[in-house]
Amino acid sequence: RRRHTRCSRDWSSDGALPIYYHPFGPLHSEACVLPAVLGTAEQIGKTDGKRFLEAVTLGFEIGPRIGMAMGGLQLVTRGWHCGAIYGVLLYGASLGGNMLLKFMSEEPPPFVRAAAAVSPPVDLKAAQMCIMRPRNRIYHRHLLRQMKADAVSSGDERITPELIDEIESIYDFDDRVVAPLNGFADAEDYYARSSALHRLGQIATPTLIIHAADDPWIPPDALIGAEFSADGAVTLLMPPGGGHVGFHAADSAVPWHDRCVGMYFHAVAS
């Protein structure tokens, strides 16, 4: 997503302090985009998801605070700023969005100012059943093939060629690979314990959820009937169209959901 952030780097007067300025980017410069974070996690190896996100957000906070101690405050009035002033903003899409919402319901670090999730499958089983419908068979085949390849390349001795050949659906994959390798009894246990749906009412930090009513892979029903906290911490936007993390428009190269998230983060951080 770097092409949308457009952070440019400059230096303080003594040439020693790196400061970041983003005059054009729709996303806040301190926004942590989960797909990039999860890519890093894959390289690191096994770790608890909540602890990993806490470490990432802590890293986003500590760096700017050091900059503040070195004189960054005087730069704010000139349009320069850092996370020590505004806090950390988290952004996740699709499965990363569900992961983010679950994280936000579990008392995130106090310096996390806001979060945004786009097209999150908050009910993992419902999403899985939808993807397995005949109309989604091409995407289902493609996704399963990719998941199998990733599993084989992991080098885990428990994932044998025979096991991979026997798996014919993503549900089977979750039941026979994802669940047992991550401490779940089976796919049903994995879906129940990892879905954010029943935790949404526990989110107390400003959070934006964007989900299209015509999402072909993730049914909107779960979010329509979801119970949110009474304090209004969660804002749900559900336009009639947009697909799955789509929301493209002829009048902008930046998808509508990215622009919405940018405006939301700007409002929260102002």
Side-chain angles (χ1 to χ4, degrees), residues 30-219:
E30 294 304 325
C32 176
V33 184
L34 286 192
V37 172
L38 297 179
T40 302
E42 291 178 356
Q43 298 300 317
I44 293 175
K46 293 183 178 179
T47 184
D48 176 82
K50 186 173 186 294
R51 289 185 179 182
F52 181 77
L53 281 179
E54 287 178 343
V56 170
T57 55
L58 184 63
F60 266 71
E61 180 72 359
I62 293 301
R65 284 199 181 278
I66 293 174
M68 287 292 295
M70 297 174 67
L73 183 60
Q74 64 181 354
L75 301 173
V76 176
T77 56
R78 299 213 300 268
W80 305 81
H81 63 85
C82 57
I85 302 169
Y86 298 107
V88 174
L89 309 168
L90 298 176
Y91 180 20
S94 195
L95 192 58
N98 175 73
M99 178 181 177
L100 174 58
L101 293 174
K102 187 170 180 289
F103 175 73
M104 296 302 293
S105 72
E106 300 173 345
E107 299 184 10
F111 48 77
V112 175
R113 289 287 302 279
V118 177
S119 304
V122 295
D123 184 338
L124 291 174
K125 183 175 181 179
Q128 169 56 30
M129 294 299 102
C130 183
I131 289 176
M132 290 178 65
R133 292 175 181 170
R135 63 162 288 179
N136 292 323
R137 61 184 179 278
I138 295 177
Y139 175 72
H140 179 267
R141 245 189 341 258
H142 167 75
L143 186 57
L144 180 60
R145 185 166 52 247
Q146 185 176 19
M147 292 169 68
K148 285 184 174 183
D150 289 343
V152 171
S153 65
S154 70
D156 194 310
E157 296 179 353
R158 294 170 293 180
I159 303 174
T160 64
E162 292 76 18
L163 172 62
I164 293 299
D165 289 342
E166 293 172 359
I167 294 175
E168 298 182 349
S169 70
I170 293 177
Y171 184 92
D172 289 343
F173 186 90
D174 288 342
D175 193 54
R176 303 183 64 181
V177 178
V178 175
L181 266 59
N182 290 279
F184 299 101
D186 50 28
E188 297 294 329
D189 183 42
Y190 162 55
Y191 296 150
R193 291 167 55 189
S194 300
S195 295
L197 177 59
H198 300 298
R199 300 170 180 265
L200 297 176
Q202 301 172 31
I203 297 177
T205 304
T207 299
L208 174 66
I209 300 177
I210 300 176
H211 191 92
D214 69 347
D215 191 313
W217 301 326
I218 302 175

